[in-house]
Structures are given as structure tokens and as C-alpha cells.
Amino acid sequence: MAENQRTVQSATEPDEGAVLRPGRAADPVPQGSRVAVSEVSRGNEESPGVASTERAPARAPRVAEESEPHSSEPLTGETPGAGIEQTLAESRQRKLRLLLRQCDRVLLMDFDLLAMNDWPDNYTLARARRSRDFWLFGALVAAIVFLSGLSGFVPAWVAGTGFGLFVVILLLGVPSIRRIYSSKPSYLDVIIKRQRMLRDARRHVAHLEGDDGLIWQCARMAEFSPALKNTRFSDLLRLSERHSLPRHLSRREHVRLYLIYLLEAEKAYGRVQKAFFEGNQVAIDRGWQNVVAEPETRT
């Protein structure tokens, strides 16, 4: 009976020399993790209860290895959008620089010469014309009296008196003598002054227009001054494009209209210049050396 109990006990109890070893992993284990698994297996031989707790930390280095290449990827250069933006900025700066070069002569405008503030008005012209008519009428009457005396229609003393009046009236019409007794300009003075002022204005316009036509080129700055698109300037722009504008300015109203256009073009030029320098500053801040430029020197 006792021998049978020992036989059953020896069959049910495990042998003290037998060691339990882990089986093959369900999934293939990378090379780096095999070392950790072997270490865990070696530890299981000493303490089988601790194997389940040490297996999770053993896979942590693998996670770090997998995530490390993604975090250390080299950064690429600028995005395509930045290159397009730089190209657009360069094109805009080139356009503004061209406008500044083509329209820089607008700064040479002589306002007083084109404004014609001393232009004799119509009232002055009418008064001078009336004085001239009185002078001509007096001289004509005196001449008729004198000629009537020569033909015998009037006495000789009347004819002599008419001749004397005729001479005096003619002398009163001489400009150097007229200035002695009257400060009012004569009709001839008014006409000469008008022609001189108009001639000076046309000469100045010809200097501003040059060979290319100033206001025709300044019309491209309409983006910065919508007033340049006004239809009342269409005739001036057409003549400027044909390089025949100065000789068609035959009236003061034409010159004043030209002056108004130049004033609007001057405002637009200032805005173009401001936009150009602002674009330069932005290019300097962003390091776009190809965009940075200065306006050409005016000649």
C-alpha cells in the first residue's frame, strides 16, 4: 500500500530537474528583439512569474527605433507657393520700376507756366477792344474832315483842325505815349500777351512730352489714380500717342486740361513710388535679393 502511494506521488509530481522553456513566438520577432526575448527567457528560468511583467519593456526600444527616423527626417527647402510669390513680387517690382522710369518727367512740370494765372480774361479783352474802336473811330472822323477840306466841301480851317486831330489821335495810339496817360493795356498788348503765354506753355509741353509722349505713358498708372481714365482726357491721350499734342494746344482751356492731367499723374506717380519702395522693403525682409532694386536715375 505504501509502495503504491509512492508510485502515484512520483508520477503526479514533476521532476525537480525538469525546466519549462517558452515556445516559439506567434509573430516573427525582429533581430533586435530576439536578444531581449532571450534575456527574458533566461530570466524566466530563474523566476517564471516575472516573465510576463518584463516582456512589455523589452519591446520599447523597438518603438523608439521605428519613430526615430520619422522625427529626424531632413526638412526640404521652400514650398512651391513661396517661389510663385517671389516671382509675382519680382514681376510687380519690374512693372513699377518701368512706370517710374517712363513717367518721371511729370516731376519737371512748371505749374505757374501751365496754369496761366496772368492770362488776360475776356472782360479785359473786351474793354481793350472797345478803346481801340473809339480810337479808330476818332482817327477816321478826323481824316474825313481833313479830306473834305482838300476837296472844298469844308472851310480850310476846319480841314486844318481835322488834320491836327488826326495826328494827335495817331500819336495817342503809340504804345510809348499811351503808357503816359493810361495804365490800361491796349488791345494789341492783350493779344500779344495771350500769344506769348500760349507759346511758352506749348514750348513747355513739348519739353515734357519729349519723343515718346508723356501723358500717353502715364495713362498706365490708372491703377493708382482712377481719374486718369476720365473720358475728357481721351483727345489729349490720342494726340500724345501720335506725338502731335503741343501744336494742337491752341487755347488756354486745352493747356489747363493738360495741367489737370499732369496733376493727377503726379499723384499717381507718388503712389507708384511708395508701392515700389514698400515692395523693396518686403523683399529685403524676406531675403529676396532678385526682387530688391532701385529706380533708375532720371536723365
Side-chain angles (χ1 to χ4, degrees), residues 188-206:
L188 183 62
D189 294 338
V190 173
I191 294 299
I192 292 176
K193 185 176 182 179
R194 280 191 169 190
Q195 292 179 352
R196 177 178 53 81
M197 295 181 67
L198 188 59
R199 183 176 61 253
D200 294 342
R202 292 171 64 180
R203 186 182 296 116
H204 184 58
V205 170

Side-chain angles (χ1 to χ4, degrees), residues 136-152:
L136 289 177
F137 180 75
L140 181 60
V141 171
I144 291 174
V145 172
F146 172 69
L147 294 176
S148 298
L150 294 178
S151 59

Side-chain angles (χ1 to χ4, degrees), residues 3-289:
E3 292 178 358
N4 294 335
Q5 291 179 353
R6 290 192 195 97
T7 303
V8 173
Q9 182 177 3
S10 61
T12 55
E13 291 181 358
D15 192 3
E16 294 180 357
V19 178
L20 297 176
R21 299 180 180 277
R24 185 176 61 84
D27 298 327
V29 181
Q31 185 67 24
S33 300
R34 292 177 181 175
V35 178
V37 172
S38 62
E39 292 178 357
V40 172
S41 301
R42 200 175 295 115
N44 290 341
E45 295 176 359
E46 299 176 358
S47 55
V50 186
S52 61
T53 60
E54 292 182 352
R55 185 170 300 184
R59 298 182 61 85
R62 177 59 182 171
V63 176
E65 291 177 1
E66 293 178 354
S67 61
E68 183 178 356
H70 297 284
S71 61
S72 61
E73 288 184 355
L75 298 177
T76 58
E78 295 182 351
T79 60
I84 295 176
E85 186 178 358
Q86 180 178 354
T87 303
L88 292 177
E90 184 177 359
S91 176
R92 178 173 175 79
Q93 287 297 101
R94 190 182 302 111
K95 175 184 175 182
L96 295 178
R97 185 166 59 250
L98 180 62
L99 288 177
L100 292 177
R101 183 178 62 84
Q102 291 178 339
C103 303
D104 56 356
R105 298 179 69 87
V106 73
L107 301 178
L108 303 177
M109 173 189 60
D110 190 340
F111 178 83
D112 295 332
L113 186 59
L114 297 179
M116 298 183 177
N117 294 324
D118 296 333
W119 180 267
D121 54 10
N122 293 333
Y123 174 75
T124 302
L125 182 64
R127 187 175 58 182
R129 185 186 294 111
R130 185 171 60 252
S131 299
R132 184 206 59 179
D133 294 340
F134 287 155
W135 176 78
L136 289 177
F137 180 75
L140 181 60
V141 171
I144 291 174
V145 172
F146 172 69
L147 294 176
S148 298
L150 294 178
S151 59
F153 287 100
V154 295
W157 64 272
V158 176
T161 304
F163 178 77
L165 291 174
F166 178 75
V167 173
V168 171
I169 292 174
L170 289 179
L171 292 177
L172 292 177
V174 177
S176 57
I177 299 177
R178 179 182 175 83
R179 297 190 187 97
I180 297 176
Y181 66 91
S182 177
S183 59
K184 297 178 182 179
S186 63
Y187 180 78
L188 183 62
D189 294 338
V190 173
I191 294 299
I192 292 176
K193 185 176 182 179
R194 280 191 169 190
Q195 292 179 352
R196 177 178 53 81
M197 295 181 67
L198 188 59
R199 183 176 61 253
D200 294 342
R202 292 171 64 180
R203 186 182 296 116
H204 184 58
V205 170
H207 172 68
L208 293 177
E209 287 292 307
D211 298 331
D212 300 324
L214 175 61
I215 65 172
W216 172 62
Q217 298 185 72
C218 292
R220 302 173 186 175
M221 298 190 298
E223 175 185 354
F224 299 89
S225 180
L228 297 178
K229 299 180 180 179
N230 198 309
T231 55
R232 62 175 176 168
F233 301 124
S234 58
D235 293 337
L236 294 179
L237 294 176
R238 185 174 63 256
L239 293 173
S240 178
E241 184 179 3
R242 296 175 181 176
H243 313 299
S244 60
L245 177 60
R247 63 173 178 267
H248 285 86
L249 300 178
S250 57
R251 301 175 60 183
R252 185 199 183 197
E253 290 77 8
H254 301 160
V255 179
R256 295 292 294 270
L257 186 62
Y258 183 82
L259 174 62
I260 293 173
Y261 190 93
L262 287 185
L263 293 176
E264 295 295 338
E266 188 178 23
K267 294 179 184 178
Y269 185 88
R271 295 167 186 169
V272 171
Q273 196 173 35
K274 181 180 179 181
F276 177 80
F277 287 117
E278 287 179 354
N280 260 9
Q281 187 61 43
V282 172
I284 292 173
D285 295 341
R286 297 189 180 183
W288 296 342
Q289 296 300 327

